[in-house]
Amino acid sequence: MSSASVNTRVNTADGGAHVTHRPLGILAALPQELGDLIEAMRGESGVRTITHGQRDYHLGTVHGAPCVVTLARVGKVAAAATVSALIHEFDVEAVVFTGVAGGVATEVRVGDIVVANALLQHDLDATPLFPRFEVPLLGMSRFAADAALAAQLAAACERFVAEEGAASAARFGTREPRVHRGLIISGDQFVASAVAVKALRDVLPDALAVEMEGAAIAQVCHEYGVPCAIVRTISDTADDHAPQSFVSFLTEIAGTYSNAILRRFLEARRAG
Ligand code: SAH
């Protein structure tokens, strides 16, 4: 076991020993997407920070759940490297990614929430050797999120919308959030034109949202047999307005959504 692991053997007062719960890995690409999670951890259990591969991993308990919280930074390689470290250095039991994304399906609007059922790399193309989107030698293009974990995450999103959706819409000038479940697509591109997003819609008609990390995380988790789930708040609709919409959503709204969803998700996990 790695020295950094928080899955430690604890000696109890009666001389016996038990193994504490393996932590949950929680990651985002950008600091705003984590909201106040690390501060909440600091207040609850204190934070132990371990730097590994140029990333800070924050270990502690938050909303009653032992967690390792970190930032992947942007893109598929960054995400794959970070989730790999969460698995190998920190022995996480499961991985949850929280962040923002561009809406692809026309019914997915700014302020909505998408919980992935499956993820695909839209920029992976080894044709004609392999079918478009297929990961060569793995024989797969779509990676499923863990059904139970995704259901818990979606339930937390639904509770947030029921309890705070109207207030959040009024506060941020968005429509009342809707929770969607389905395909999230990932690639090493910030999609920011009507033409580009239409092309994605045409080739992947069931895609709900586009971002830059999720499918890489889902692939690594699949390969190591670690459950993962991905939740994305829609910051933009991947069209020509995307850069401004993304920046204002990220700075003003993303943290509020993340706090609200993760608190409900982690509290339910502790209770369950
Ligand atoms: N330098 C920028 C990088 C942001 S890239 C910054 O720090 O502000 C956009 C991030 O948001 C990625 O992590 C991606 O997963 C997500 N995202 C939001 N809207 C997106 C879109 N339209 N296309 C691709 N990724 C998007």
Side-chain angles (χ1 to χ4, degrees):
M1 189 187 297
S2 138
S3 60
S5 173
V6 293
N7 179 18
T8 46
R9 190 163 282 278
V10 175
N11 291 315
T12 54
D14 62 3
H18 69 273
V19 175
T20 55
H21 288 301
R22 289 164 68 202
L24 179 71
I26 300 185
L27 74 165
L30 304 165
Q32 297 89 336
E33 293 172 322
L34 281 181
D36 300 325
L37 197 67
I38 296 166
E39 278 316 302
M41 180 186 272
R42 202 177 305 286
E44 196 170 323
S45 67
V47 177
R48 186 170 150 229
T49 299
I50 294 170
T51 304
H52 179 80
Q54 300 186 15
R55 281 157 183 78
D56 289 337
Y57 294 83
H58 305 287
L59 284 60
T61 300
V62 61
H63 302 306
C67 292
V68 182
V69 179
T70 192
L71 290 175
R73 304 203 289 260
V74 176
K76 294 192 299 176
V77 172
T82 311
V83 77
S84 187
L86 279 174
I87 293 169
H88 298 299
E89 295 295 320
F90 299 96
D91 195 27
V92 294
E93 175 182 71
V95 171
V96 169
F97 188 102
T98 176
V100 299
V104 173
T106 48
E107 73 272 18
V108 176
R109 309 271 179 76
V110 171
D112 284 1
I113 305 166
V114 178
V115 177
N117 289 341
L119 299 108
L120 168 149
Q121 298 174 50
H122 68 78
D123 58 350
L124 209 168
D125 187 354
T127 55
L129 303 176
F130 298 91
R132 189 169 175 194
F133 309 125
E134 184 171 302
V135 180
L137 312 184
L138 199 55
M140 293 174 69
S141 58
R142 292 177 184 232
F143 295 87
D146 181 75
L149 205 59
Q152 290 162 17
L153 206 48
C157 296
E158 295 285 5
R159 285 198 298 280
F160 160 58
V161 170
E163 290 163 15
E164 289 176 32
S168 137
R171 178 173 167 203
F172 297 125
T174 50
R175 74 166 179 181
E176 206 165 311
R178 291 183 195 166
V179 181
H180 308 266
R181 298 191 60 183
L183 179 68
I184 292 182
I185 58 176
S186 314
D188 286 320
Q189 290 144 17
F190 183 76
V191 180
S193 84
V195 172
V197 71
K198 182 179 180 307
L200 290 174
R201 217 178 276 138
D202 288 347
V203 72
L204 293 163
D206 60 336
L208 297 180
V210 63
E211 37 85 315
M212 302 176 69
E213 298 84 18
I217 288 162
Q219 181 181 331
V220 173
C221 284
H222 166 81
E223 291 179 348
Y224 288 105
V226 173
C228 79
I230 313 259
V231 59
R232 294 281 185 172
T233 306
I234 300 304
S235 57
D236 60 88
T237 43
D239 54 13
D240 303 72
H241 308 291
Q244 304 90 303
S245 183
F246 164 78
V247 169
S248 63
F249 194 96
L250 186 70
T251 42
E252 291 158 29
I253 312 181
T256 305
Y257 268 66
S258 206
N259 289 338
I261 295 166
L262 287 177
R263 178 172 62 73
R264 287 171 174 83
F265 171 75
L266 292 170
E267 285 176 354
R269 203 176 153 80
R270 176 181 54 178

